[in-house]
Amino acid sequence: MTMANIIIVEDEADIRELLELSLGKAGYAVRACASGEEGIAQARLSLPDLMLLDLMLPGVNGLEVCRQIRAMPGAEFPVIMVTARGSESDIVAGLEMGADDYIVKPFSLPVLLARVKKALSRQGRGIEVPTQGIVIDDRRHEVMLDGEKLELTSSEFSTLKFLASHPGWVYTRSQIVKAVHGENYPVTDRSVDVMILSLRRKLGSKGKSIETVRGVGYRFEE
Ligand code: CA
């Protein structure tokens, strides 16, 4: 088995060293970068299996790093943003820029390691739908809840399928719209909320599987 390769981009030396040490101990090959420029250069040199990306960086900031990385051919590895508390708008921007997950500082090391492990294990896996009483039949475009067929609109079906295929991942409203309707579909955030509300109602006691992430968007529970 080859070691997963992780790029850390973090300008604060003590955090960078802590991450480098802990991830190294956990068995990953780590490249620690102190700036966005260095992170991009390292990714160009050879694509990692995952990137831990601080958003607040001097020079090229984390959002720009994310944008440039996603523009690289084949760069589909998970990007976990590391952000300061209270920067929900940055989180939203980062997710829309192609980041996959985020961790808020100050973080707990075991939680961070678990998130890294999870993100790496999700890599390359196909669509998985949790079977906790909800069965999504993609071919028939039907959802069964505890054996009963649900009457969902096409948007509700696609949204449920999208969220449930990525349990634990947070999506912004515009990412949901993009996944369901494609690019440049004119829909307000409010109408996404209304649709989710209706979907939750139809899911009954399972409705709480769709969690609201305040200031960011929605996710399907793990
Ligand atoms: Ca920083």
Side-chain angles (χ1 to χ4, degrees):
M1 215 182 85
T2 52
M3 278 191 288
N5 190 297
I6 296 177
I7 292 180
I8 300 166
V9 184
E10 173 62 70
D11 60 311
E12 284 165 68
D14 48 348
I15 300 181
R16 186 173 63 247
E17 279 156 24
L18 173 75
L19 288 173
E20 187 176 13
L21 195 72
S22 315
L23 290 164
K25 257 195 205 155
Y28 300 112
V30 181
R31 286 179 276 165
C33 305
S35 70
E37 289 87 340
E38 205 184 328
I40 292 166
Q42 279 295 332
R44 278 221 179 90
L45 205 61
S46 100
L47 294 177
D49 298 303
L50 182 140
M51 179 179 273
L52 270 177
L53 177 61
D54 181 26
L55 284 192
M56 294 271 286
L57 295 165
V60 177
N61 71 24
L63 290 178
E64 177 59 18
V65 172
C66 198
R67 195 190 65 75
Q68 291 200 28
I69 276 180
R70 285 306 186 221
M72 292 179 195
E76 278 151 25
F77 55 85
V79 174
I80 301 180
M81 298 178 279
V82 182
T83 67
R85 202 172 287 284
S87 54
E88 278 82 4
S89 59
D90 284 343
I91 293 171
V92 169
L95 291 171
E96 282 167 4
M97 209 70 93
D100 300 285
D101 197 2
Y102 64 90
I103 287 172
V104 176
K105 283 182 189 172
F107 50 80
S108 120
L109 208 43
V111 168
L112 181 135
L113 289 170
R115 300 279 275 281
V116 164
K117 198 172 163 192
K118 184 158 276 175
L120 285 168
S121 72
R122 281 186 190 123
Q123 264 288 73
R125 263 204 264 147
I127 285 187
E128 46 173 307
V129 172
T131 48
Q132 38 173 312
I134 303 173
V135 177
I136 301 173
D137 186 332
D138 201 16
R139 210 167 35 87
R140 291 190 182 162
H141 237 247
E142 275 177 14
V143 176
M144 306 289 283
L145 176 65
D146 295 328
E148 302 248 337
K149 191 178 151 200
L150 294 184
E151 297 297 332
L152 300 185
T153 65
S154 157
S155 298
E156 288 165 356
F157 175 86
S158 303
T159 301
L160 177 63
K161 191 184 111 189
F162 177 61
L163 292 173
S165 303
H166 309 86
W169 294 88
V170 184
Y171 291 99
T172 67
R173 289 166 179 80
S174 52
Q175 282 179 308
I176 293 170
V177 171
K178 197 171 148 194
V180 171
H181 299 288
E183 207 83 60
N184 301 323
Y185 189 85
V187 149
T188 62
D189 282 357
R190 171 80 189 132
S191 67
V192 174
D193 294 339
V194 169
M195 189 262 295
I196 296 268
L197 206 65
S198 157
L199 179 56
R200 274 188 186 137
R201 209 163 3 207
K202 291 179 183 177
L203 286 168
S205 63
K206 297 287 184 338
K208 56 182 188 311
S209 305
I210 300 172
E211 300 169 342
T212 302
V213 183
R214 272 176 73 132
V216 180
Y218 294 98
R219 80 172 151 223
F220 200 87
E221 73 174 2
E222 289 184 83

